[in-house]
Amino acid sequence: MTRASGLRAALDPASIAIIGASDNPHKVGGRPILYMKRYGYRGAIYPINPARAEVQGLKAYPDLASLPQAPELAIVAVSGEEAVGAVAACAARGVKVCVVMSSGFGEIGAAGRALQERMLAAARDAGMRLVGPNCQGLANFATGAVANFSTVFNEMEGRDGPVAIVSQSGACSQAIYALARARGLDVRHVHATGNEADVTVADLAAEIVAEEGVRLVLLYLEAIADPERLAAAAEAARARDLPIVAVKAGRTESGRRAASSHTGALASEDRVVDAFFERHAIWRVDDPYALVAAGRLYLEGWRPRGKRFVALSNSGASCVMAADAADEFGLPLADFPPAAREQLAAVLPAFATAANPLDVTGALLSNSLLFANALPVLAAEVESDLMLVALPVAGAGYDVAGFARDFAAYARNTGRAVALAAPQEAVRAEFEKAGLPAFVREREAMLALKQLAEHSALMRRTHRASGPSKASELPKTKSKFLDEAQSLALLAAAGLPVVEHRLCRSEDEARAAFAALGPKVVVKACSASVPHKTELGLVRVGLNSEEEVIRAFRDFKPKIPAADGVLVARHAAGRRELALGARIDSSFGPVVLVGDGGIYLEALKDFRLLLPPFSEREALDALAQLRIAPLLAGARGQPALDIGAFATMAVRLGDAMLGWNGGVASFDVNPVMVFGEGGGALAVDALAEAY
Amino acid sequence: MTRASGLRAALDPASIAIIGASDNPHKVGGRPILYMKRYGYRGAIYPINPARAEVQGLKAYPDLASLPQAPELAIVAVSGEEAVGAVAACAARGVKVCVVMSSGFGEIGAAGRALQERMLAAARDAGMRLVGPNCQGLANFATGAVANFSTVFNEMEGRDGPVAIVSQSGACSQAIYALARARGLDVRHVHATGNEADVTVADLAAEIVAEEGVRLVLLYLEAIADPERLAAAAEAARARDLPIVAVKAGRTESGRRAASSHTGALASEDRVVDAFFERHAIWRVDDPYALVAAGRLYLEGWRPRGKRFVALSNSGASCVMAADAADEFGLPLADFPPAAREQLAAVLPAFATAANPLDVTGALLSNSLLFANALPVLAAEVESDLMLVALPVAGAGYDVAGFARDFAAYARNTGRAVALAAPQEAVRAEFEKAGLPAFVREREAMLALKQLAEHSALMRRTHRASGPSKASELPKTKSKFLDEAQSLALLAAAGLPVVEHRLCRSEDEARAAFAALGPKVVVKACSASVPHKTELGLVRVGLNSEEEVIRAFRDFKPKIPAADGVLVARHAAGRRELALGARIDSSFGPVVLVGDGGIYLEALKDFRLLLPPFSEREALDALAQLRIAPLLAGARGQPALDIGAFATMAVRLGDAMLGWNGGVASFDVNPVMVFGEGGGALAVDALAEAY
């Protein structure tokens, strides 16, 4: 994955050949020429068409060999075997990047896959990069290098700007582009990678994040074939405060089925993708619309350090709904201290309430300065990060342009994020003219503000350096699983507290164990051949006599291989059982699970995933997002649980997974018994699966 | 609440006087005249202004007494004491409905409230209905009777249509109107009720639902002062298949605080509102935008009987995202049987997959008949209710008008609901022209389809007739609570199974109880003076010897009044503890709670509320919406729980609350022990609070 990308020529080629160039500007082989002329491409354009002397007014060439020079980029708009031949010819001629628009390859089944493989082999042999096949291609509106046949550039004029769109799907790249332009966002890059035989969304993203003029990157993905490359792109972006927002489709079972018939992509468990995106500060959304929704907020350069929220409106109803939504979305209403309330009362109508959300009332119609007078008070006296302006009523008699200027000045002076919500287009247009983001809907404006704040926090988050690089010692095992004693020993060696226990091979040892660990113990069969003991009745809990212990020993021993023993463990009565686990994801590597424990982990799915190495803070953040979070903090007057101790265990298990270097395929630590605050936490059950 | 409404004159007055009429058409007293002239009001308009002979070209009158007749409706646009005087004069003159636009009343505090009270008293004495004060007024675009000063009718032309908007908030009425018009919905009624001294949103809704031309009612409420009236309006609407969609703001703590400073409304616990709306088939949404989002789907008259979903697109990515969203939203993908797959394969490109969602592929550009050919197959061979058409790509070369006609024909022929999603406005416009609802966003279109289907199901649902009207016998009590034995006896009398138990006042009785109910029992102090026994250590569980029982008896007896006893109950080891409860809500009357049981009910809030009388089916539906629902169905290979038995208990508790006729303020039955399927359920703890 550390190959030299050779992709600069994909974004900024000095010359472009079109193999299968068409005189019809609305055919696949014609559109790129139309667009390059329209959007001012300054490099050489070489239409290749053996049947014509001229194509769209440009000199045409019969073949690559006749060109005065090797083009840096070549578009292949011929199909089937002919396309395979064209790619081979490009490779031979020294083309740097080949964009294969033709379809009929990997996406149609085995025969197409074979063609695609041959194409790729030719490119690889020559060190040429291959975009596609079955792709709409690359478009750069900074240079006019539009090696792309998307219809949408004919419908909505391209205009260079700070946004880059990279999408596996061509149709989706057009939808994102159309929505971005409709919101007044100017877009430099629109790339669609299609079958991704070679070049992926991540490859192009990695190239683009280095461009200074790009200030927002939007991605659409169905598979993440090269997570390391995407991670590297994301970290480079983060290093220069460049936000990346992404759709990763195929979230659900049905979605994955649809994706596999669309691109043949095989998907990881979706929450691993969440964990991966979170770790690399990529903000995940659900659709193209959501990709662009917060665009203007990012581009203003606002990076709020908190989520303290203020709303202003000339409608009490909007204030009520904003307060509802603030609670629902977890945006704390900024406190108005007495000085603020006093000063606001002085500038507002007598019947207005100086509270947050702030209803300046319908008096705004007769007094256009209400916002202008209130805003300096909010700037000086109220600590906040995010502001919503809701104007459900405006029109004749309202100085909307003045309001827009007032709020723009507030945003400029405070550096705080401001968004407008108004149902009337003319009102939104005035605010946008003043440089402020505008939404139809209060809730949507608030969600964009929330996204901005939470994404900014993610982008600021520093990560722990990678864990130990040397592989830790692992016990030899011939079976798929380690037995519980081995599993617990591994955990203990990794620094996780485990329940006190003894492995007993004789009744005498069992007696001694009871004497040492009683008065109350758990007895379990301990054998790598019986990983799921509970289901087989090979676990007995709450035993409080030597007699019961020996009876369990005698019952269990014959049911396991002679070399294996029986484990006697101290009874641990904590406050709640949580689940801890880890496994190797085939795409993303080690993943750690923290969640509500016990037998309902799978049914209720109240868990979060983390990619190691992560910090205690990150583990605690993940726990705070569980549905049972209120219980962890101590419900019904009970003291809080010692989730700090649990978080430490999660961190160490993650580090250990890295240290084992793939030697452990999965590790279930369910339950971990968690005690009250200060009481710690203890692994009471453990099952490691060897690779 | 059964007053004759007298509100016909509010909606369709034969004559209108404006007290405080202004020659300036953009003042409060001028706008209604401007609008009535513009929108063709045919009744008599009487401007009243002692200072002018003419107002906006109409003859003006010095006072009400000078009018040739008593106006049916009078607008009051003068303020303070003058407004109070005007209302009194209207009452004396025989006006039927008085619309007080002036503010400075209930909303500004005690002094204003006193003025409002005087105003109301004058109206009530004369049998005159009062709209407002502090309201934007009433607008009827069928008759041009626009007794309303909203700015928005100046910004966006009024046009009679099938939609009615009734809103407490004037600003909100304008926002809803603007959003509806922007979606091409024509609106007949726009009413804003302001302070609601007399006439409420529910009053006007009740009047409006009787109008045949109205086919969709949109409400905005901050308080529900008269739930019975709203319920009656909703049931009348349901009887004629007229959907009502509503925002009830003040959902959360912050929202309620904001609402109380906005309208002085005191709010019920929000989930009671959910239960009330659900019972009366009012669909609840969060904001004005969502109020209008599904509007066109309702107006098409579609009332799907299921949620089986089909998606079609020319983009594989849209298909993936639609499949994701279908899973997320609970819309089952309609099955394509072999015959359908075969016939689809015959009309689609060879590389397309005949699956749902159906990707007709980019070949749509070259073959405009792909949809036309596929749709008859879907109509004939696929059982479905809802269809999404996603067109992220279109423009030059695409026969969008043809596609729109094809889908309109499908909708017409099948009666199934169809919605388009397309990022480009021109595409949406073509579909709307063909009579199909169009959205920017697939997810939004799908949520509208889902709402349509679920709301249709709610509207179809028949309810059980009311419970017994005769009050049941209640035990006498001087304390706030009944003791547990009394509480259990009440439950048993209401037909709920309760745990076998005995109330013991002597050690002998306790011994006999253990002998009868052992080998394992629970012992609790049983006293109305100790309703919360657990916290005081007056409960012991799992006792399995006479000795332990007697020890508990001896420990507990001295801690309660001498007349009270100790309860010995059989140990009930069911599969899960659920919570059942009931209380009288001050607005909505009896409410029943079903939820996850145990001590975490409050912390995790995994419960639903129901308004009795309700059916087992409704109780089961409520349980199916709990987060723990997967456990009820039997997780980890365990058999399902007997939630049917639990649902029956809930139904009976609801009926009993009705029967007790307010005599029981609240009833906690937490936990109810629920056994495996067929095993029933049992109240093991009960606490009734007397009124």
Side-chain angles (χ1 to χ4, degrees):
Chain A
M1 288 293 167
T2 51
R3 61 183 184 267
S5 82
L7 281 173
R8 204 55 234 165
L11 303 189
D12 188 16
S15 49
I16 300 181
I18 304 95
I19 302 171
S22 171
D23 201 47
N24 179 339
H26 294 297
K27 294 228 154 173
V28 170
R31 277 263 174 75
I33 300 171
L34 171 75
Y35 291 149
M36 286 191 278
K37 288 167 68 180
R38 182 185 294 170
Y39 294 117
Y41 176 60
R42 290 164 175 242
I45 307 177
Y46 301 123
I48 295 184
N49 184 331
R52 310 184 65 100
E54 232 183 45
V55 167
Q56 296 187 46
L58 298 176
K59 173 176 165 53
Y61 298 81
D63 50 34
L64 275 171
S66 337
L67 298 185
Q69 61 170 334
E72 287 202 345
L73 185 145
I75 295 167
V76 175
V78 293
S79 51
E81 278 293 350
E82 217 184 325
V84 179
V87 169
C90 289
R93 187 73 168 90
V95 167
K96 291 184 178 164
V97 175
C98 200
V99 177
V100 183
M101 294 178 170
S102 342
S103 52
F105 296 93
E107 79 281 8
I108 65 156
R113 262 198 305 280
L115 282 179
Q116 183 171 312
E117 284 305 318
R118 281 169 47 207
M119 199 179 253
L120 179 61
R124 287 257 158 94
D125 287 349
M128 178 179 76
R129 299 304 303 265
L130 185 72
V131 179
N134 186 32
C135 77
Q136 292 194 341
L138 312 172
N140 180 342
F141 291 99
T143 63
V146 185
N148 192 308
F149 70 93
S150 292
T151 309
V152 75
F153 307 134
N154 196 45
E155 311 290 319
M156 302 179 98
E157 194 203 2
R159 196 190 300 167
D160 186 24
V163 178
I165 297 166
V166 192
S167 168
Q168 210 165 329
S169 151
C172 209
S173 74
Q174 299 193 49
I176 301 165
Y177 174 83
L179 292 165
R181 298 289 288 111
R183 281 203 177 252
L185 301 177
D186 295 337
V187 181
R188 170 169 302 176
H189 292 286
V190 186
H191 305 310
T193 54
N195 286 9
E196 298 200 337
D198 172 26
V199 173
T200 63
V201 166
D203 285 326
L204 292 172
E207 201 64 37
I208 283 169
V209 296
E211 262 183 48
E212 208 160 307
V214 172
R215 292 190 291 119
L216 175 62
V217 175
L218 308 177
L219 308 180
Y220 174 88
L221 304 144
E222 282 171 19
I224 302 178
D226 42 4
E228 287 178 44
R229 191 140 189 91
L230 185 56
E235 293 305 331
R238 169 149 71 165
R240 53 168 285 239
D241 191 36
L242 168 61
I244 301 179
V245 186
V247 171
K248 159 72 178 68
R251 285 196 93 116
T252 69
E253 199 46 52
S254 297
R256 277 193 284 276
R257 218 174 305 128
S260 81
S261 86
H262 179 216
T263 53
L266 260 183
S268 287
E269 209 272 289
D270 191 65
R271 295 215 216 175
V272 186
V273 178
D274 284 338
F276 174 78
F277 280 7
E278 193 174 325
R279 168 153 196 97
H280 297 293
I282 298 172
W283 192 260
R284 187 175 189 183
V285 296
D286 285 321
D287 67 359
Y289 186 91
L291 269 184
V292 306
R296 288 182 80 112
L297 286 86
Y298 289 111
L299 293 177
E300 284 298 324
W302 295 321
R303 297 292 183 270
R305 301 197 76 85
K307 293 195 274 185
R308 293 163 303 182
F309 174 75
V310 174
L312 287 89
S313 180
N314 61 340
S315 154
S318 286
C319 289
V320 178
M321 288 185 284
D324 276 347
D327 278 11
E328 184 184 339
F329 299 157
L331 299 176
L333 288 170
D335 186 46
F336 283 9
R341 289 204 297 272
E342 219 166 88
Q343 294 174 41
L344 286 172
V347 299
L348 293 175
F351 51 90
T353 312
N356 184 15
L358 185 64
D359 176 10
V360 304
T361 79
L364 183 66
L365 178 56
S366 51
N367 180 357
S368 287
L369 295 180
L370 285 180
F371 287 137
N373 293 336
L375 285 169
V377 181
L378 297 179
E381 305 290 348
V382 174
E383 296 187 352
S384 70
D385 308 289
L386 311 172
M387 176 179 282
L388 170 76
V389 191
L391 288 180
V393 178
Y398 287 90
D399 180 16
V400 175
F403 305 155
R405 279 193 305 273
D406 296 338
F407 283 101
Y410 170 88
R412 215 171 29 248
N413 296 341
T414 60
R416 299 176 190 166
V418 177
L420 168 84
Q424 293 178 56
E425 197 172 345
V427 178
R428 296 195 298 274
E430 286 292 355
F431 273 70
E432 285 181 346
K433 219 189 292 168
L436 292 178
F439 297 81
V440 175
R441 201 174 178 181
E442 290 169 28
R443 289 170 69 85
E444 208 188 315
M446 291 174 67
L447 284 174
L449 289 166
K450 173 184 158 87
Q451 172 181 335
L452 178 76
E454 293 182 351
H455 194 181
S456 298
L458 262 191
M459 287 171 67
R460 271 194 305 271
R461 198 152 79 168
T462 52
H463 289 290
R464 292 176 50 230
S466 219
S469 60
K470 219 168 71 62
S472 310
E473 207 59 51
L474 284 174
K476 298 274 174 277
T477 171
K478 272 170 301 190
S479 65
K480 191 166 150 52
F481 292 97
L482 303 190
D483 70 34
E484 180 150 8
Q486 291 172 314
S487 300
L488 287 168
L490 260 186
L491 284 184
L496 285 84
V498 304
V499 68
E500 214 179 329
H501 64 280
R502 291 197 188 179
L503 180 58
C504 309
R505 289 201 169 74
S506 67
E507 289 184 18
D508 279 350
E509 284 178 358
R511 267 186 212 97
F514 177 70
L517 305 174
K520 204 164 171 187
V521 297
V522 179
V523 178
K524 323 180 195 185
C526 181
S527 166
S529 61
V530 190
H532 301 292
K533 308 173 280 288
T534 308
E535 286 77 351
L536 298 172
L538 296 177
V539 174
R540 288 193 195 152
V541 300
L543 307 190
N544 45 22
S545 70
E546 187 185 289
E547 184 197 344
E548 286 173 299
V549 170
I550 295 303
R551 200 184 314 139
F553 184 91
R554 286 178 188 160
D555 289 349
F556 293 172
K557 198 73 179 69
K559 294 180 179 156
I560 53 177
D564 293 333
V566 168
L567 198 136
V568 177
R570 194 189 285 285
H571 171 79
R575 284 266 315 286
R576 188 168 186 100
E577 299 183 348
L578 294 185
L580 178 62
R583 65 180 181 81
I584 308 278
D585 181 90
S586 56
S587 302
F588 296 96
V591 182
V592 170
L593 172 151
V594 297
D596 192 16
I599 63 166
Y600 298 125
L601 179 67
E602 280 172 46
L604 292 183
K605 298 192 167 40
D606 192 15
F607 65 84
R608 304 279 300 184
L609 301 179
L610 292 152
L611 298 189
F614 53 86
S615 65
E616 266 86 1
R617 184 69 260 153
E618 288 169 271
L620 289 170
D621 285 350
L623 290 168
Q625 291 172 67
L626 298 181
R627 286 199 299 262
I628 57 152
L631 304 187
L632 304 179
R636 290 257 302 191
Q638 296 174 341
L641 293 177
D642 196 342
I643 50 169
F646 180 78
T648 304
M649 291 174 70
V651 167
R652 291 186 181 159
L653 181 60
D655 289 350
M657 287 295 284
L658 293 172
W660 294 322
N661 205 11
V664 172
S666 77
F667 218 129
D668 273 354
V669 195
N670 185 12
V672 171
M673 190 60 78
V674 185
F675 298 84
E677 199 145 53
L682 214 50
V684 298
D685 212 338
L687 176 60
E689 181 188 1
Y691 224 90
Chain B
M1 287 296 170
T2 53
R3 61 182 185 268
S5 83
L7 281 173
R8 205 54 233 167
L11 302 189
D12 187 15
S15 49
I16 300 181
I18 305 94
I19 301 172
S22 170
D23 201 45
N24 180 339
H26 294 296
K27 293 228 154 174
V28 171
R31 278 265 175 76
I33 299 171
L34 170 75
Y35 290 150
M36 286 192 277
K37 289 166 69 179
R38 182 184 294 170
Y39 293 118
Y41 177 59
R42 291 164 174 241
I45 306 176
Y46 301 121
I48 295 183
N49 184 332
R52 309 184 66 99
E54 235 185 41
V55 167
Q56 297 187 45
L58 298 175
K59 173 175 166 49
Y61 298 83
D63 50 34
L64 275 171
S66 338
L67 298 185
Q69 61 171 333
E72 287 203 346
L73 185 146
I75 295 166
V76 175
V78 293
S79 52
E81 277 293 349
E82 216 182 327
V84 179
V87 169
C90 289
R93 187 72 169 90
V95 167
K96 289 182 178 166
V97 174
C98 200
V99 177
V100 184
M101 294 176 169
S102 344
S103 52
F105 296 93
E107 79 281 7
I108 64 157
R113 263 199 303 280
L115 282 180
Q116 183 170 313
E117 284 304 320
R118 282 168 48 208
M119 198 180 253
L120 179 60
R124 287 258 158 95
D125 287 349
M128 179 178 77
R129 298 304 303 266
L130 185 73
V131 180
N134 186 32
C135 78
Q136 292 194 340
L138 312 172
N140 181 343
F141 290 99
T143 63
V146 185
N148 191 308
F149 69 92
S150 292
T151 309
V152 75
F153 307 133
N154 197 45
E155 311 291 319
M156 301 178 98
E157 193 203 4
R159 195 191 297 167
D160 186 25
V163 178
I165 297 166
V166 192
S167 168
Q168 211 165 326
S169 151
C172 209
S173 74
Q174 299 193 51
I176 301 164
Y177 175 83
L179 292 165
R181 298 287 291 110
R183 281 202 176 255
L185 300 177
D186 295 335
V187 180
R188 170 169 301 174
H189 291 286
V190 187
H191 306 309
T193 54
N195 286 10
E196 298 199 338
D198 172 27
V199 173
T200 63
V201 166
D203 285 326
L204 291 172
E207 201 64 36
I208 283 170
V209 296
E211 263 184 47
E212 209 161 304
V214 172
R215 292 190 291 119
L216 175 63
V217 175
L218 309 177
L219 308 180
Y220 174 87
L221 304 144
E222 282 171 20
I224 302 178
D226 43 3
E228 287 179 44
R229 191 139 188 90
L230 185 56
E235 293 304 331
R238 170 148 71 162
R240 51 167 286 240
D241 191 36
L242 168 61
I244 301 179
V245 186
V247 172
K248 161 70 180 68
R251 287 196 90 119
T252 68
E253 199 46 50
S254 297
R256 278 192 283 277
R257 219 174 304 125
S260 81
S261 85
H262 179 218
T263 54
L266 259 183
S268 287
E269 208 272 287
D270 191 66
R271 295 216 214 176
V272 186
V273 178
D274 284 337
F276 175 79
F277 279 7
E278 192 173 326
R279 170 155 194 95
H280 297 293
I282 297 172
W283 191 261
R284 187 174 189 181
V285 296
D286 286 320
D287 66 0
Y289 186 90
L291 268 184
V292 306
R296 288 182 80 112
L297 286 86
Y298 289 111
L299 294 176
E300 284 297 323
W302 295 321
R303 297 292 183 270
R305 302 196 75 85
K307 293 196 272 186
R308 293 164 304 183
F309 174 75
V310 174
L312 286 90
S313 180
N314 60 340
S315 153
S318 287
C319 289
V320 178
M321 289 185 284
D324 275 347
D327 277 11
E328 183 184 340
F329 300 157
L331 298 176
L333 288 170
D335 185 47
F336 283 9
R341 290 204 297 272
E342 218 165 274
Q343 293 175 41
L344 286 171
V347 299
L348 292 176
F351 50 92
T353 312
N356 183 15
L358 185 64
D359 176 11
V360 303
T361 79
L364 183 65
L365 178 56
S366 50
N367 180 357
S368 287
L369 294 179
L370 286 181
F371 286 136
N373 293 336
L375 286 169
V377 181
L378 299 179
E381 305 291 349
V382 173
E383 295 187 354
S384 70
D385 308 289
L386 311 172
M387 177 180 281
L388 170 76
V389 190
L391 289 179
V393 178
Y398 288 90
D399 180 16
V400 175
F403 305 156
R405 278 193 305 274
D406 296 338
F407 283 100
Y410 169 87
R412 214 168 33 245
N413 296 339
T414 61
R416 298 176 190 164
V418 177
L420 169 84
Q424 294 177 56
E425 196 171 348
V427 178
R428 297 196 297 275
E430 286 292 353
F431 273 70
E432 285 182 346
K433 218 188 294 168
L436 293 178
F439 297 81
V440 175
R441 200 174 177 183
E442 291 169 29
R443 290 170 69 86
E444 208 189 316
M446 290 175 67
L447 285 174
L449 288 166
K450 174 183 156 90
Q451 171 181 336
L452 178 76
E454 294 183 349
H455 194 181
S456 297
L458 262 192
M459 289 172 68
R460 273 194 304 273
R461 198 153 77 169
T462 52
H463 289 290
R464 290 174 54 229
S466 218
S469 58
K470 219 165 72 56
S472 309
E473 206 59 52
L474 284 172
K476 299 273 173 275
T477 172
K478 272 171 298 188
S479 66
K480 192 165 149 55
F481 292 97
L482 303 189
D483 70 32
E484 179 150 10
Q486 290 172 315
S487 301
L488 287 169
L490 259 187
L491 283 185
L496 284 83
V498 304
V499 69
E500 216 179 328
H501 64 278
R502 291 195 188 179
L503 180 59
C504 309
R505 290 202 166 72
S506 68
E507 290 184 16
D508 279 350
E509 285 178 356
R511 265 184 213 101
F514 177 70
L517 303 174
K520 204 164 173 185
V521 297
V522 179
V523 178
K524 324 179 194 184
C526 181
S527 167
S529 62
V530 190
H532 300 292
K533 307 173 282 288
T534 308
E535 287 77 351
L536 298 172
L538 296 177
V539 175
R540 289 193 195 153
V541 299
L543 307 190
N544 44 24
S545 69
E546 187 185 288
E547 184 196 344
E548 288 173 298
V549 171
I550 295 303
R551 200 185 311 138
F553 184 92
R554 287 180 188 158
D555 289 350
F556 294 173
K557 199 71 181 66
K559 295 182 180 156
I560 53 177
D564 292 334
V566 167
L567 196 137
V568 178
R570 194 190 286 286
H571 171 80
R575 284 267 314 285
R576 188 168 185 102
E577 299 182 349
L578 294 185
L580 179 61
R583 66 180 181 82
I584 306 279
D585 181 90
S586 56
S587 301
F588 296 97
V591 182
V592 170
L593 172 152
V594 298
D596 193 15
I599 63 166
Y600 297 125
L601 178 67
E602 281 172 45
L604 293 183
K605 298 194 167 36
D606 192 15
F607 64 84
R608 303 279 301 182
L609 301 179
L610 292 151
L611 299 189
F614 53 86
S615 65
E616 266 86 0
R617 184 69 258 153
E618 287 168 272
L620 289 170
D621 285 350
L623 290 167
Q625 292 171 67
L626 298 180
R627 286 199 299 261
I628 56 152
L631 305 187
L632 304 179
R636 289 259 299 192
Q638 296 175 341
L641 293 177
D642 197 342
I643 49 168
F646 180 78
T648 303
M649 291 174 71
V651 167
R652 291 186 180 159
L653 181 60
D655 289 349
M657 286 296 285
L658 293 171
W660 294 322
N661 205 9
V664 172
S666 77
F667 218 130
D668 274 354
V669 195
N670 185 11
V672 170
M673 191 59 79
V674 184
F675 299 84
E677 199 144 54
L682 215 50
V684 299
D685 211 339
L687 176 61
E689 182 189 359
Y691 223 89

